[in-house]
């Protein structure tokens, strides 16, 4: 499995377009391909999943998404008390990790984990709990499912970008001449 990250701190240099096009070529060549969209603008998600998931808002809401994966990592969605524990044990059989937030695209051999505009709200909790390697570890568990993984990053050097860079085998840095 090859994991490639498309990264640049500047916006508008073509990160999402490059990510989606490389993933499409990879899928067309018969490789089982996954795109992980970490950019809150969700452009890669929108390019791949299209208007079927469009809610009519400025930024479409794709659910479940990468926010839910990181929320699980932090543990912010756990209920408290006896009722919460009982419900938690009943719901324990649902898929976890990146598998739980993955969407099959309309294209053969291409899946996507959509982004969320809410990612910024989890950044501090993830940093303070030293969860920087969780994305890499979760991607490692997908080695039998995918041949190629492409990660679109936000136009900033933050927790999510660093997590993607740590998970990467290779990094592509687009820039304007």
């Amino acid at each position: 499995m090859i994991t490639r990250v498309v990264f640049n701190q500047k916006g508008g240099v073509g990160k999402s377009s490059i990510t989606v096009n490389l993933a499409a070529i990879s899928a067309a060549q018969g490789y089982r391909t996954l795109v992980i969209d970490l950019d809150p603008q969700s452009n890669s998600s929108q390019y791949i999943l299209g208007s079927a998931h469009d809610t009519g808002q400025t930024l479409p809401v794709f659910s479940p998404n990468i926010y839910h994966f990181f929320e699980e990592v932090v543990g912010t969605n756990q209920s408290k008390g006896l009722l919460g524990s009982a419900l938690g044990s009943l719901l324990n059989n649902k898929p976890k990790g990146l598998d739980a937030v993955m969407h099959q695209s309309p294209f053969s051999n291409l899946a996507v984990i959509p982004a969320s505009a809410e990612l910024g709200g989890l950044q501090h909790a993830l940093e303070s709990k030293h969860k920087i390697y969780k994305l890499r570890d979760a991607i490692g568990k997908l080695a039998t499912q995918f041949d190629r993984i492409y990660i679109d990053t936000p136009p900033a050097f933050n927790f999510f970008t660093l997590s993607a860079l740590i998970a990467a085998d290779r990094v592509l840095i687009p820039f304007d001449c």
Side-chain angles (χ1 to χ4, degrees):
M1 176 178 70
I2 294 174
T3 304
R4 294 186 174 130
V5 171
V6 183
F7 165 71
N8 190 327
Q9 292 182 25
K10 184 178 180 327
V13 294
K15 291 184 298 292
S16 297
S17 297
I18 290 169
T19 301
V20 170
N21 283 302
L22 288 175
I25 291 167
S26 179
Q29 291 175 339
Y31 293 108
R32 298 167 301 164
T33 306
L34 172 66
V35 171
I36 301 174
D37 191 356
L38 293 176
D39 187 348
Q41 294 178 21
S42 304
N43 289 329
S44 291
S45 304
Q46 192 171 3
Y47 292 154
I48 295 170
L49 295 175
S51 61
H53 287 79
D54 196 347
T55 61
Q57 300 176 3
T58 306
L59 293 176
V61 177
F62 304 99
S63 188
N65 56 52
I66 195 70
Y67 174 86
H68 298 107
F69 165 76
F70 283 116
E71 184 180 49
E72 179 184 307
V73 165
V74 172
T76 58
N77 61 348
Q78 295 176 353
S79 299
K80 305 278 188 226
L82 184 59
L83 181 59
S85 297
L87 286 173
S89 64
L90 289 173
L91 298 174
N92 239 358
N93 293 331
K94 70 178 185 174
K96 294 185 177 185
L98 293 176
D99 283 326
V101 296
M102 196 177 306
H103 298 256
Q104 182 58 46
S105 79
F107 310 101
S108 180
N109 295 321
L110 184 58
V112 63
I113 296 175
S116 170
E118 300 173 318
L119 279 175
L122 284 178
Q123 185 170 326
H124 179 70
L126 289 161
E127 289 171 341
S128 66
K129 292 189 177 196
H130 307 288
K131 303 293 186 182
I132 198 73
Y133 298 103
K134 292 297 185 177
L135 182 62
R136 179 199 63 190
D137 297 344
I139 287 173
K141 293 176 183 176
L142 299 176
T144 59
Q145 289 179 266
F146 294 99
D147 303 309
R148 304 279 189 268
I149 296 177
Y150 296 91
I151 305 174
D152 186 18
T153 58
F157 188 70
N158 59 22
F159 174 88
F160 303 106
T161 302
L162 186 55
S163 292
L165 291 170
I166 288 170
D169 297 320
R170 299 173 184 162
V171 178
L172 300 165
I173 304 172
F175 59 91
D176 286 331
C177 294

Coordinates of all heavy atoms in Angstrom, one line a residue, residues 77-91:
N77 N -17.5 11.6 22.3 CA -18.9 11.2 22.1 C -19.4 10.1 23.0 O -20.4 9.5 22.8 CB -19.1 10.8 20.6 CG -18.2 9.6 20.3 OD1 -17.3 9.2 21.0 ND2 -18.5 9.0 19.1
Q78 N -18.6 9.9 24.1 CA -19.0 8.8 25.0 C -20.0 9.4 26.0 O -19.8 10.4 26.6 CB -17.8 8.3 25.7 CG -16.8 7.6 24.8 CD -15.6 7.1 25.5 OE1 -15.4 7.4 26.7 NE2 -14.8 6.4 24.8
S79 N -21.1 8.6 26.2 CA -22.1 9.0 27.2 C -21.6 8.6 28.6 O -20.9 7.7 28.8 CB -23.4 8.3 26.9 OG -23.9 8.7 25.6
K80 N -22.1 9.4 29.6 CA -21.8 9.1 31.0 C -23.0 8.4 31.7 O -24.1 8.5 31.3 CB -21.5 10.4 31.7 CG -20.4 11.2 31.1 CD -19.1 10.8 31.4 CE -18.0 11.7 30.9 NZ -16.9 11.1 30.3
G81 N -22.7 7.8 32.8 CA -23.7 7.2 33.6 C -24.1 5.8 33.2 O -23.6 5.2 32.3
L82 N -25.0 5.2 34.0 CA -25.5 3.8 33.8 C -26.2 3.7 32.5 O -25.9 2.7 31.7 CB -26.4 3.5 35.0 CG -26.9 2.0 35.0 CD1 -25.7 1.1 35.0 CD2 -27.9 1.8 36.1
L83 N -27.1 4.5 32.1 CA -27.8 4.5 30.9 C -26.8 4.6 29.7 O -26.9 3.8 28.7 CB -28.8 5.5 30.7 CG -29.7 5.6 29.5 CD1 -30.4 4.2 29.3 CD2 -30.7 6.7 29.5
G84 N -25.8 5.5 29.8 CA -24.8 5.6 28.8 C -24.0 4.4 28.6 O -23.6 4.0 27.5
S85 N -23.6 3.7 29.7 CA -22.8 2.5 29.7 C -23.6 1.4 29.0 O -23.1 0.6 28.2 CB -22.4 2.1 31.1 OG -21.6 3.1 31.6
A86 N -24.9 1.3 29.3 CA -25.7 0.3 28.7 C -25.9 0.5 27.2 O -25.8 -0.4 26.4 CB -27.1 0.2 29.4
L87 N -26.1 1.7 26.8 CA -26.2 2.0 25.4 C -24.9 1.8 24.7 O -24.9 1.3 23.6 CB -26.7 3.5 25.2 CG -28.1 3.8 25.5 CD1 -28.4 5.3 25.4 CD2 -29.0 3.1 24.6
G88 N -23.8 2.2 25.4 CA -22.5 2.0 24.8 C -22.2 0.5 24.5 O -21.7 0.2 23.5
S89 N -22.6 -0.4 25.4 CA -22.4 -1.8 25.2 C -23.2 -2.3 24.1 O -22.8 -3.2 23.3 CB -22.6 -2.6 26.5 OG -23.9 -2.5 26.9
L90 N -24.5 -1.8 23.9 CA -25.3 -2.2 22.8 C -24.8 -1.8 21.5 O -24.9 -2.4 20.5 CB -26.7 -1.7 23.0 CG -27.6 -2.3 24.1 CD1 -28.9 -1.5 24.3 CD2 -27.8 -3.8 23.8
L91 N -24.2 -0.6 21.4 CA -23.7 0.0 20.2 C -22.3 -0.4 19.9 O -21.7 0.0 18.9 CB -23.8 1.5 20.3 CG -25.2 2.1 20.4 CD1 -25.2 3.6 20.6 CD2 -26.1 1.7 19.2

